[in-house]
Amino acid sequence: LNGGDCVALDNVVVSPNFTITYDGKGDTYFETRVRANTVAEQIWMGFQSTSGVVLADPFAAAPADYILFKIVAADIKCQSSLATADTPAGTLTDTGVDLVADTWTTLAINISQIRGVLTAQFYVDGDIKTELTANLPAVGTKLAPMLAVAQTSTDATVTADFDYCLVASKRVD
């Protein structure tokens, strides 16, 4: 995905036309390597779900359930959210790592049962940065991978390069 040469305030979203249903037994994994020419815009990467219907523009109407990285003004943050009245904004956690312009960064999410608790682990360049256990989509939720870039200023042209997107689900009988 290369979102360069977008008209001001345009958004670019890539979400393959498939979903993975997390079964609560094995790991579900998302990984991508990203580079952006500017870090002042929003970039979202991870899993989204709206009852199996992938949204064309998550910035206009956020997905009902998601587990993803959000890069906002260079801060690499992790967020999980459920479409429930008591947690509309979900859990937002700063990884303590900033995205550096024009530098490749690998981001990964692993969803699994850890010590009997559904957990999303977030990795930056291979190092675990945080674990979230609150507001995760329930076992059985259909998760679709998503890469999205929002151009939020009128004077910037955002180019976000994604080297690859790896999505996997380990089945355990």
Side-chain angles (χ1 to χ4, degrees):
L1 167 69
N2 185 319
D5 300 322
C6 291
V7 176
L9 303 179
D10 275 0
N11 300 330
V12 177
V13 180
V14 173
S15 189
N17 191 21
F18 71 89
T19 60
I20 292 176
T21 302
Y22 178 68
D23 65 6
K25 296 176 184 174
D27 294 353
T28 297
Y29 189 77
F30 172 93
E31 180 179 304
T32 191
R33 198 171 91 139
V34 62
R35 174 179 67 187
N37 70 322
T38 179
V39 293
E41 309 301 321
Q42 291 192 60
I43 304 172
W44 291 12
M45 295 152 289
F47 290 112
Q48 68 167 331
S49 176
T50 55
S51 301
V53 177
V54 178
L55 295 176
D57 187 353
F59 302 105
D65 302 327
Y66 55 83
I67 304 170
L68 48 75
F69 282 99
K70 283 185 175 181
I71 300 173
V72 181
D75 290 337
I76 300 175
K77 300 183 181 212
C78 308
Q79 189 167 32
S80 59
S81 181
L82 295 176
T84 58
D86 59 336
T87 58
T91 302
L92 184 62
T93 304
D94 195 328
T95 64
V97 179
D98 289 343
L99 187 70
V100 177
D102 297 315
T103 302
W104 287 106
T105 302
T106 302
L107 303 173
I109 302 168
N110 189 57
I111 306 164
S112 62
Q113 294 284 340
I114 298 177
R115 297 172 296 281
V117 177
L118 184 61
T119 304
Q121 297 174 307
F122 292 82
Y123 296 82
V124 178
D125 289 329
D127 296 325
I128 189 164
K129 295 301 176 182
T130 193
E131 292 182 352
L132 298 181
T133 57
N135 302 320
L136 297 177
V139 170
T141 299
K142 293 180 180 180
L143 300 172
M146 174 187 64
L147 306 169
V149 179
Q151 186 166 331
T152 57
S153 64
T154 57
D155 60 349
T157 298
V158 180
T159 300
D161 297 312
F162 296 92
D163 187 28
Y164 64 89
C165 180
L166 170 67
V167 178
S169 186
K170 180 180 176 182
R171 292 193 177 118
V172 177
D173 293 329

